[in-house]
Amino acid sequence: MSALSPTHLYREIHEQPEAIERVLQTQHAAIAGLAGAIRAGGVTHVVIAARGTSDNAARYAQYALGARNGLLVGLAAPSLLTVYGARPRFAGALVIGISQSGASPDIVSVVAEARRQGALTAVLTNNVASDLAREGDFVVDLSAGEEKAVAATKTYTTSLAAIALLSAALHDDRDMAEAEVRGVPEAMRCVLAGAPGVIDAAARFAGISRAVVIARGFNYATAFEVALKLKELTYVLVEPYSSADFLHGPLALVEEGLPAIAIAPSGRMLEELRQLMRTLRERGAEVACISDDAPALALAQTPLRVPLALPEWLSPFTHVVPGQLLAMGLAAARGHDVDAPRGIRKVTRTR
């Protein structure tokens, strides 16, 4: 057993499959009701208000609801309301607030204004007694249980689960889509079985001062979330990129020894990520790869294998886990407190 196992973060990373199963078991009716209201209400687009880890879940929603359900999903700019006093028009929108605590006033303000205007509102939160939950026409309990580590893990993946369930409920083949979602917890358990190897691999990067995380498509959100976990836990400057955006200028950053983490699951973006990894290696980067694809893993100095391939739209569940473990292992290797990173709190109230 890893020396990290007594930490809250270690336990919470490993609790994710069970937390997702609770969402699937207990929130099906609420999400089905929301899907029915979306169909009945003539919703044309979705606006999501969130910050931090929850904002990364919103990025997943842009692809899940966009690619599979034809909904245009935009990310709200809460400061428009709280700082500039603007009142964006929410006609025709479903407005979703995502927040583990439900306590941030700026997120509450967006959903409250949408409800005042008569728009359909929904809330994904781990605190159903929160101010944010009171503004939702529909409230989805993330069912993660108490999250004691400051860095969010299980509230991130349970947010993804709620979004995936909503996408499945809106899909033309709902039964097939829901069956695919039900396969997520077991796939995550398979990844977690390899946790000691990922934690050990983190020591290779103990001396780094900067890094990039690169993905595309459904895992664009994963790149942002892995980069955030690395920043929160290791105090290293880590930037997330789309593989397409990386070629439009940031490629110039690549120099000998630059750590680059590529997230490359099977799917439409796989060959593009493989080619980018070849380019990174040619330019001297130190490449780590999170993938279920053997040829992609063979391109990396540090391969982090995902043992079970899910459909691409669900691959963010399995591909974020090695990133969480890598961030935790690297923080421990650098001598940091993985449960209480410096300067940040579990609940952040921004206005």
Side-chain angles (χ1 to χ4, degrees):
M1 181 169 293
S2 168
L4 284 166
S5 56
T7 69
H8 294 306
L9 183 61
Y10 182 97
R11 286 193 290 267
E12 287 163 9
I13 289 173
H14 284 75
E15 288 168 2
Q16 290 176 108
E18 290 72 26
I20 289 169
E21 284 176 337
R22 285 195 295 273
V23 173
L24 304 185
Q25 293 165 1
T26 66
Q27 301 305 302
H28 190 276
I31 291 170
L34 174 58
I38 291 169
R39 292 193 186 95
V43 168
T44 60
H45 61 289
V46 181
V47 177
I48 303 180
R51 295 283 192 194
T53 288
S54 297
D55 208 31
N56 296 334
R59 288 186 175 90
Y60 172 67
Q62 289 186 297
Y63 282 88
L65 299 179
R68 296 180 57 81
N69 309 112
L71 286 167
L72 179 64
V73 180
L75 305 184
S79 296
L80 287 175
L81 284 85
T82 56
V83 176
Y84 295 101
R87 294 290 181 266
R89 292 187 289 274
F90 292 115
L94 163 66
V95 178
I96 302 176
I98 308 177
S99 170
Q100 61 93 12
S101 68
S104 190
D106 50 357
I107 307 306
V108 175
S109 70
V110 174
V111 181
E113 176 61 22
R115 195 174 197 188
R116 188 191 69 79
Q117 293 181 25
L120 180 65
T121 62
V123 168
L124 314 183
T125 183
N126 204 40
N127 181 3
V128 295
S130 63
D131 290 344
L132 181 61
R134 284 190 278 274
E135 300 297 343
D137 296 316
F138 292 86
V139 178
V140 177
D141 186 348
L142 296 179
S143 309
E146 184 180 5
E147 200 172 46
K148 295 182 179 180
V150 169
T153 53
K154 57 183 179 174
T155 51
Y156 175 70
T157 50
T158 53
S159 295
L160 298 193
I163 292 161
L165 267 183
L166 178 60
S167 177
L170 293 168
H171 197 267
D172 291 340
D173 191 343
R174 182 179 64 189
D175 291 343
M176 180 197 71
E178 289 184 351
E180 289 178 339
V181 178
R182 287 195 294 273
V184 164
E186 186 56 34
M188 292 180 76
R189 288 188 181 98
C190 290
V191 179
L192 287 164
V198 180
I199 294 169
D200 289 344
R204 181 180 184 129
F205 299 97
I208 66 173
S209 60
R210 59 181 182 140
V212 294
V213 185
I214 305 171
R216 196 173 176 189
F218 289 102
N219 280 280
Y220 185 54
T222 312
F224 273 78
E225 180 59 14
V226 171
L228 177 60
K229 287 295 154 285
L230 285 163
K231 285 183 275 196
E232 286 178 320
L233 293 169
T234 72
Y235 321 145
V236 172
L237 182 61
V238 184
E239 289 300 313
Y241 292 98
S242 155
S243 53
D245 289 337
F246 194 75
L247 296 173
H248 286 263
L251 185 62
L253 291 168
V254 182
E255 60 187 7
E256 191 70 30
L258 176 74
I261 302 168
I263 300 167
S266 298
R268 295 192 181 188
M269 302 315 307
L270 177 58
E271 183 50 42
E272 179 178 309
L273 268 296
R274 285 178 184 161
Q275 184 53 51
L276 180 59
M277 282 190 284
R278 294 184 189 103
T279 300
L280 292 168
R281 288 293 302 269
E282 288 167 2
R283 292 176 177 238
E286 179 78 14
V287 178
C289 177
I290 300 172
S291 183
D292 56 71
D293 177 72
L297 292 167
L299 292 168
Q301 291 102 322
T302 304
L304 302 173
R305 178 173 169 264
V306 173
L308 184 62
L310 287 171
E312 184 184 5
W313 75 286
L314 297 172
S315 62
F317 288 92
T318 48
H319 284 66
V320 77
V321 172
Q324 294 169 339
L325 294 166
L326 188 69
M328 180 179 64
L330 181 54
R334 292 165 70 92
H336 303 321
D337 184 342
V338 300
D339 285 335
R342 69 187 184 199
I344 56 176
R345 300 177 181 177
K346 186 64 185 172
V347 178
T348 304
R349 292 177 170 85
T350 49
R351 294 186 178 275

